[in-house]
Amino acid sequence: MGDGGLVARLREIIGSEHVLAGEAAVAEYLSDAAGVNCPPNEIAFPDAVVKPAGSEEVLRIVALALDCGIALVPRGGGTGLWGGATATKGCIVVSTERMTAGPEIHRDDLYAVVGPGVITGRFRREVERHGLFYPIDPASEDSSTVGGNVAEGATGMRGIKYGSTRNYVLGLEVVTPEARLINVGARTVKSVAGYDLTRLLVGSEGTLGIITSVTLKVLPLPQERRWLAFGFPDRVRAAEAASEIVAAGFAPSALEMMEATLLVEFDGPRSVCEEEASKVKKMLEAGRGISVGGEGEGEEAERAEKVEKVWQTRRRVLGDLIKGSAAVMIRTLRVPKAKLGVMVEMAGGAARKHGVGLVIFGHVGQGLIHAALVAGSPDRDALDRAAGMVSELTGECTGLGGAVQGEMEIRTGRMPAPKILTGAVGLEVMRKIKAAFDPKGIMNPGKMSYDT
Amino acid sequence: MTREVLRRKGLEHPGGALPAQAADRAGQLALFEEPGDRARYHTVEAVLPEIERCLKCGLCRSVCPVYAEIRDESGSARGKIAMVEALREAGLSLSRTFGDKLSQCLNCKACMEACPSGIKVDEVVLAARAEIFTRGHFPFLKKFIFRNLLKRGRLLPPVSRALALVERKILKGLPPSSPYRMLLPLVKLDKDRTLPIFAPKTFMDEYGEIVGPKATPRMRVGFFVGCATNLIYTNVGRAVLRTLVGEGIEVVIPRDQGCCGMPVYTSGDRETGGALASRNFKAFERHKVDAIVIACASCGAALKSDYEKILGLGPGGLGAKVYDFSEFLAKHSKLKFGRDRSDTVRVTYHFPCHLSRGQGVRDAPRKVLGALPQVDFIEMVEAERCCGGAGTFSLSHYDLSRGIGRRKASYIAASGAEVVATSCPSCMMQLEDMLRRNHLPQRVVHLAELVAACYPPLEETVLE
């Protein structure tokens, strides 16, 4: 398609070294992590990939796009699983790789201002060097960006205690699809003038504008963090134990499950951590749990290393699953926390019935279970059986008062279903809001789940 | 291509059986096939199952030294994999741009360590380069040097001696202030870079084929010298001999060994690479040795693993007997050097990528340095991060190489060491250049040179 005039004008705006054009030059920017599973039927090459340095340049790029009627696809780390940063035919991919200003840390007022292209993990570590704490730690934190996390409403393991990105965005600077610059939110926790546009924009998947600056709330760094790991005779018992922890009123900062193992993290003042840890240990050991790295297993450093190994296995489980299987279908189930054991038992039964391999892991403390259906070979029969199990699983989950929160497909050849859980009327309202922001429909068209 | 042609081209398997050959589509030749694990990937087509496992998680980006400099997706493994995918699935054509981007890889293997899917990125990138080469997109001069200089082998010493003559007598070692530096850009060299000085006589010309101790030797090892040690850092070769002979070991330096081939096959020329490898196999086969010792991490990685997994040559027999110098010492020497620490020097160690990640050798250098009485060993931050030299990479991508090297130089300075030791002449060249360019005082030595100082001079121990 190669629009020479467009590329020349882009080069004028940001300099030719920051504009990539031509198929060979843009090949790495075709898709985000969603493209892994199911290469789009029609691979679309963008007309150009641009890397602006700040809001000035972004404004001019959006104005140009409006002028030419060309779609824009914002891109952060390219690690999203929903196709938000996948290029469409004849679009301009706007990469935030160069918008890495800051972080500007305001210790006493507990906020930081940072460019959208800053890698989340890097931001988190920088903030910790100042004795502060940004608790959103998605698994992708070393390659995803703050802006991308905001656009997707990312969460991490600490959601049980600390919530998600949504709870930490105080303000945003955004270039709208009409090429106007707006500042939403504030630098304080409370600010109630007008509609809460900040929260609307969080999770908007790049369909309402391009984020050019992010103001994030940060917390004081907890004094201490304690990690525990427990093995159980089977995963149903592990899931039940998770429910028991929640019911007993413990407030861990992370509560994770991986098959028959539970991982618990406490943070806060040292004495509180120690006390909570020892109480939980007592409770779980009475309930057939075996403590990893418990007393009598060697020096403290050795024991800590054993616990750390279990945590690492949890972090790597997705990669390991993929390495070991031909195809993986994951359903994220939101389950009432009291019913975790029941759900896991039902899932196990369904897996046996349909003859499908099943691995269970997830942020059980947040009521989230990933049921990973694994196939040793990607043949039609195996995938059909897995699909059969999935419908049974979905039914059981809703029966318990839960819902399928998300999907992930790896080499099954199916695209994940859209994630909107609201009804038809809600969708209608969303379409109107989108039209209000983006009358010409240039901002990441076709991406918001309601577009399907 | 017939088996006859393969035999004539010196690609015969040393074990006697010829590898099967198969013509691939569009005239690409799959050099080796079967059995089992060897040489899976010669073409882009072949690597598709490997790259299928890429999750696009981007963790490779967080450790890639190239990405850290250029901040462009093509710098990372994920980007390169995306390009290769586009080649097959989106009808992208092999172009100059494609080749250029593929060349922006140090083969440092940091991405492989970070990858949760365990993708063999080195094999993917090298396979793509091999395909580009077989399609004829390759700089003429490079091809000429590979095929006529490195392959012929015998031409190297005279060329090297001529260069040494020019460097020492005419250019007077090219000090920083020399007016001759203005000529360097004519041969595409940066005028301020510190250049290695070729030795007036090659290492192998200085010594015979067998160098042994006066007393009855307890072992017999082969020494794979490598081009850099043979032509430039002959003192490293001497240090290896001094150590091994001092340990009561007889050293065999087969005369017909040559270039290990790494610069050749990593550029994509597997045919010449295979020829070089075969020649080395033959050179060592003739001698019965207990082990083969190497003092260059890249040569080590080539012999230990690349010959098999990239060039499809085996068996692993040669690989199983090969040791890095530090590895060999850690295993076969008592490392008892006395405790005299009156005059110590602060030494830090840079891990060549091809030693730590390429060969899995991490403990041996630390163990050896820790045993040396004159050394006060200090760890540096990110000791395993690539220095940016990567062989010919620093010639073809000097600016990028400098950017990467600057960070390493700052870590060396931050360690508080006076000396940085390493186990690869290519790293030595790069570290030397980077330290000088960043006005840092630290000296660069090969680990073997520090070790050799603990043994009597060769003249005293060697059997004439």
Side-chain angles (χ1 to χ4, degrees):
Chain A
M1 198 193 152
D3 188 348
L6 172 71
V7 172
R9 288 169 75 181
L10 286 169
R11 288 192 168 129
E12 258 174 70
I13 297 174
I14 58 177
S16 26
E17 67 269 36
H18 303 303
V19 178
L20 305 175
E23 290 192 351
V26 304
E28 307 87 349
Y29 289 86
L30 296 185
S31 79
D32 58 13
V36 161
N37 173 54
C38 190
N41 289 327
E42 192 192 288
I43 302 248
F45 279 89
D47 279 348
V49 174
V50 295
K51 302 190 201 179
S55 53
E56 263 303 311
E57 292 176 352
V58 175
L59 272 165
R60 294 173 66 192
I61 290 165
V62 177
L64 177 59
L66 274 171
D67 204 27
C68 303
I70 292 198
L72 294 167
V73 175
R75 179 188 173 102
T79 58
L81 296 158
W82 302 97
T86 295
T88 50
K89 197 161 173 59
C91 72
I92 300 172
V93 171
V94 182
S95 166
T96 59
E97 278 169 297
R98 287 177 65 222
M99 293 201 272
T100 53
E104 192 192 291
I105 296 175
H106 297 259
R107 213 183 174 292
D108 294 342
D109 294 306
L110 293 178
Y111 72 88
V113 184
V114 70
V118 172
I119 302 289
T120 304
R122 211 170 274 170
F123 171 71
R124 179 179 65 73
R125 285 187 288 272
E126 184 59 35
V127 149
E128 277 177 20
R129 275 191 275 274
H130 287 74
L132 298 169
F133 182 38
Y134 181 63
I136 307 304
D137 58 340
S140 61
E141 67 168 0
D142 282 320
S143 49
S144 62
T145 59
V146 170
N149 287 172
V150 171
E152 297 289 335
T155 190
M157 278 194 199
R158 301 208 169 97
I160 181 181
K161 184 169 177 182
Y162 292 107
S164 77
T165 303
R166 222 174 266 279
N167 304 110
Y168 292 85
V169 181
L170 290 175
L172 297 168
E173 182 191 72
V174 177
V175 172
T176 72
E178 292 182 297
R180 317 280 282 278
L181 190 66
I182 57 170
N183 268 287
V184 297
R187 293 173 172 202
T188 56
V189 177
K190 176 160 171 156
S191 155
V192 281
Y195 298 132
D196 192 349
L197 291 178
T198 314
R199 285 190 77 128
L200 172 63
L201 286 159
V202 176
S204 61
E205 298 187 276
T207 58
L208 298 181
I210 299 178
I211 297 167
T212 53
S213 178
V214 184
T215 303
L216 291 168
K217 177 172 92 174
V218 291
L219 306 170
L221 189 61
Q223 184 190 38
E224 176 85 28
R225 219 171 263 156
R226 272 278 261 137
W227 296 282
L228 306 160
F230 299 90
F232 289 87
D234 54 71
R235 57 191 177 201
V236 174
R237 187 57 216 125
E240 286 169 353
S243 305
E244 285 157 25
I245 291 177
V246 172
F250 285 103
S253 47
L255 177 51
E256 296 287 311
M257 175 176 163
M258 200 186 58
E259 283 291 286
T261 314
L262 268 194
L263 300 105
V264 192
E265 181 191 88
F266 287 105
D267 70 6
R270 185 164 298 129
S271 52
V272 172
C273 283
E274 292 304 328
E275 201 184 314
E276 294 289 87
S278 103
K279 279 201 250 174
V280 144
K281 191 159 168 288
K282 213 179 257 159
M283 184 181 95
L284 293 182
E285 281 175 349
R288 296 163 72 204
I290 298 173
S291 197
V292 173
E295 315 253 309
E297 277 188 48
E299 294 298 322
E300 195 182 326
E302 267 177 74
R303 285 156 49 200
E305 213 184 295
K306 284 186 184 171
V307 175
E308 172 61 18
K309 275 211 173 76
V310 183
W311 278 88
Q312 274 178 29
T313 319
R314 164 68 187 95
R315 281 186 215 114
R316 285 194 344 240
V317 66
L318 191 57
D320 287 346
L321 270 178
I322 291 162
K323 256 187 273 204
S325 340
V328 188
M329 225 183 242
I330 301 181
R331 292 296 178 271
T332 305
L333 308 169
R334 183 167 38 85
V335 178
K337 292 177 203 177
K339 307 271 178 65
L340 291 165
V342 179
M343 186 71 242
V344 172
E345 178 143 38
M346 283 181 171
R352 273 190 298 278
K353 180 163 141 209
H354 294 266
V356 178
L358 174 69
V359 176
I360 301 262
F361 60 97
H363 312 309
V364 277
Q366 299 174 50
L368 292 170
I369 292 176
H370 297 300
L373 315 181
V374 295
S377 65
D379 63 83
R380 203 64 261 154
D381 178 58
L383 292 176
D384 285 344
R385 277 185 281 122
M389 172 168 166
V390 163
S391 17
E392 189 172 322
L393 209 58
T394 312
E396 282 161 6
C397 183
T398 35
L400 288 175
V404 175
Q405 187 92 333
E407 304 185 2
M408 198 170 143
E409 304 273 336
I410 295 152
R411 290 200 296 276
T412 60
R414 294 178 53 236
M415 280 306 276
K419 34 178 196 174
I420 299 233
L421 301 169
T422 179
V425 178
L427 287 180
E428 201 40 54
V429 173
M430 286 195 211
R431 283 195 192 98
K432 288 184 181 167
I433 292 175
K434 164 73 169 173
F437 266 82
D438 186 11
K440 287 228 178 142
I442 60 162
M443 196 60 69
N444 225 359
K447 294 303 186 60
M448 198 63 185
S449 315
Y450 57 63
D451 282 322
T452 54
Chain B
M1 272 205 175
T2 62
R3 294 161 78 99
E4 190 53 48
V5 175
L6 282 173
R7 192 185 288 123
R8 268 190 273 121
K9 280 175 167 272
L11 296 174
E12 183 180 301
H13 188 293
L18 279 175
Q21 50 85 10
D24 208 337
R25 58 199 184 81
Q28 292 149 6
L29 179 68
L31 287 171
F32 304 97
E33 209 185 50
E34 314 276 27
D37 241 8
R38 290 198 245 132
R40 283 159 293 195
Y41 310 134
H42 291 301
T43 61
V44 166
E45 189 73 38
V47 301
L48 286 180
E50 184 73 32
I51 61 180
E52 228 180 36
R53 300 205 308 274
C54 176
L55 294 179
K56 314 291 178 202
C57 69
L59 282 176
C60 50
R61 288 193 331 166
S62 65
V63 296
C64 177
V66 174
Y67 182 79
E69 290 303 307
I70 68 174
R71 304 239 148 247
D72 183 83
E73 186 68 20
S74 64
S76 66
R78 181 177 75 171
K80 295 196 171 61
I81 285 173
M83 283 196 321
V84 172
E85 278 170 350
L87 200 59
R88 276 294 171 265
E89 291 174 30
L92 182 69
S93 53
L94 277 177
S95 63
R96 179 93 189 264
T97 312
F98 189 92
D100 285 346
K101 289 205 223 182
L102 270 186
S103 73
Q104 278 181 333
C105 171
L106 302 158
N107 195 12
C108 78
K109 307 180 206 277
C111 51
M112 289 164 64
E113 230 176 18
C115 177
S117 296
I119 295 180
K120 300 180 185 64
V121 184
D122 55 356
E123 294 184 41
V124 171
V125 171
L126 295 186
R129 288 181 185 170
E131 175 155 342
I132 289 177
F133 180 83
T134 52
R135 285 168 185 264
H137 308 313
F138 204 72
F140 176 76
L141 183 62
K142 227 174 168 182
K143 202 167 178 171
F144 182 83
I145 292 176
F146 289 164
R147 298 220 152 156
N148 296 298
L149 208 55
L150 290 178
K151 196 168 166 187
R152 296 259 161 84
R154 267 167 300 163
L155 286 180
L156 270 178
V159 170
S160 157
R161 281 197 294 272
L163 278 171
L165 197 65
V166 169
E167 276 185 318
R168 287 163 190 262
K169 299 282 187 255
I170 301 173
L171 304 178
K172 307 279 189 232
L174 266 186
S177 52
S178 166
Y180 289 115
R181 286 195 165 265
M182 303 309 292
L183 297 172
L184 288 177
L186 289 174
V187 286
K188 299 216 178 130
L189 290 172
D190 185 287
K191 69 172 178 53
D192 293 315
R193 76 185 286 168
T194 303
L195 294 169
I197 307 291
F198 283 76
K201 198 172 177 190
T202 69
F203 173 76
M204 290 205 284
D205 279 341
E206 270 197 65
Y207 293 92
E209 210 168 30
I210 314 251
V211 181
K214 289 185 170 118
T216 313
R218 63 179 174 101
M219 271 179 94
R220 194 168 200 249
V221 308
F223 180 23
F224 185 90
V225 181
C227 299
T229 302
N230 194 33
L231 307 176
I232 301 169
Y233 295 108
T234 54
N235 45 324
V236 171
R238 266 189 289 282
V240 170
L241 282 184
R242 178 165 163 171
T243 307
L244 293 178
V245 171
E247 281 279 335
I249 295 172
E250 184 175 75
V251 184
V252 179
I253 314 170
R255 293 222 56 91
D256 18 321
Q257 63 178 284
C259 175
C260 69
M262 185 172 281
V264 177
Y265 62 76
T266 53
S267 301
D269 185 356
R270 293 190 176 188
E271 209 185 304
T272 308
L276 289 168
S278 287
R279 190 178 66 196
N280 289 325
F281 269 105
K282 287 208 192 80
F284 279 86
E285 254 176 7
R286 295 201 295 109
H287 304 269
K288 200 152 175 20
V289 293
D290 300 316
I292 297 173
V293 172
I294 303 197
C296 170
S298 292
C299 299
L303 264 67
K304 275 191 192 179
S305 70
D306 286 356
Y307 277 5
E308 191 166 331
K309 75 178 187 191
I310 305 286
L311 297 171
L313 284 170
L318 185 60
K321 287 204 289 195
V322 175
Y323 294 96
D324 175 73
F325 178 76
S326 63
E327 211 185 350
F328 181 82
L329 274 187
K331 185 167 179 172
H332 291 286
S333 164
K334 293 194 172 53
L335 294 176
K336 287 246 174 322
F337 301 118
R339 306 300 301 163
D340 175 7
R341 299 187 80 94
S342 52
D343 182 21
T344 61
V345 67
R346 290 192 306 281
V347 176
T348 188
Y349 184 77
H350 159 73
F351 276 90
C353 302
H354 290 164
L355 187 65
S356 59
R357 289 179 288 275
Q359 297 177 49
V361 173
R362 290 181 160 96
D363 294 332
R366 291 187 166 103
K367 191 172 168 195
V368 170
L369 285 171
L372 301 180
Q374 82 277 31
V375 165
D376 178 12
F377 176 58
I378 313 175
E379 291 275 1
M380 81 162 108
V381 167
E382 293 207 76
E384 295 184 13
R385 192 184 180 93
C386 186
C387 64
T392 55
F393 185 88
S394 81
L395 288 173
S396 50
H397 297 79
Y398 191 54
D399 284 335
L400 193 45
S401 176
R402 276 184 67 192
I404 297 167
R406 189 184 310 124
R407 197 196 282 226
K408 180 56 69 156
S410 73
Y411 290 151
I412 293 172
S415 71
E418 301 162 77
V419 168
V420 54
T422 188
S423 300
C424 175
S426 169
C427 295
M428 285 167 72
M429 274 185 240
Q430 171 75 351
L431 292 176
E432 186 70 48
D433 189 23
M434 291 302 115
L435 288 167
R436 300 295 81 82
R437 290 207 75 133
N438 287 281
H439 310 292
L440 292 166
Q442 282 78 12
R443 290 182 291 123
V444 180
V445 297
H446 192 288
L447 177 143
E449 295 177 277
L450 292 173
V451 173
C454 300
Y455 291 87
L458 199 55
E459 298 78 61
E460 288 176 25
T461 54
V462 76
L463 178 69
E464 292 304 323

